[in-house]
Amino acid sequence: MPASSGLTNRHRLNRSGDRQLNRAMHTITLIRMRLDPATKAYVARKVAEGKTSRDAQRCLKRVVCRQIFKILEHADRNRLENAENLTQAA
């Protein structure tokens, strides 16, 4: 979905979806931007690249989503391995 305005050229996914998840992601990024030194450095780097703080927060949301997905994927893989071990033991 195009989200361009003036000289800014952006594309976004559909804005509908899980509103509770979007709100949770927003809260996570705000807290990390305020407290986490690594996140502060990331946002400073994005702003130095010419992005606004809102654009930097969008980038941070994508990073956080990737991190959460990896955690969930790893947990799911462990759960499947445990289930396979239980069936082999029986």
Side-chain angles (χ1 to χ4, degrees):
M1 169 181 289
S4 302
S5 176
L7 297 176
T8 305
N9 187 11
R10 262 190 308 246
H11 295 284
R12 287 198 199 128
L13 296 176
N14 190 348
R15 291 182 59 150
S16 66
D18 191 344
R19 301 306 305 158
Q20 287 181 330
L21 179 61
N22 290 342
R23 178 65 182 167
M25 293 301 300
H26 180 75
T27 304
I28 289 168
T29 56
L30 285 179
I31 298 301
R32 283 181 63 168
M33 287 171 68
R34 193 175 306 142
L35 301 175
D36 184 36
T39 303
K40 286 181 183 180
Y42 177 82
V43 171
R45 191 174 71 238
K46 289 295 179 180
V47 170
E49 290 175 3
K51 296 191 180 296
T52 64
S53 61
R54 289 183 71 183
D55 288 336
Q57 188 177 13
R58 282 187 200 103
C59 295
L60 181 60
K61 283 181 184 179
R62 285 192 292 271
V63 170
V64 170
C65 284
R66 287 185 208 116
Q67 291 173 346
I68 291 173
F69 181 79
K70 285 181 183 179
I71 290 168
L72 292 174
E73 188 178 42
H74 182 70
D76 189 44
R77 190 176 306 136
N78 286 343
R79 186 180 56 83
L80 289 175
E81 287 175 2
N82 290 340
E84 288 175 4
N85 290 341
L86 289 175
T87 57
Q88 290 175 355

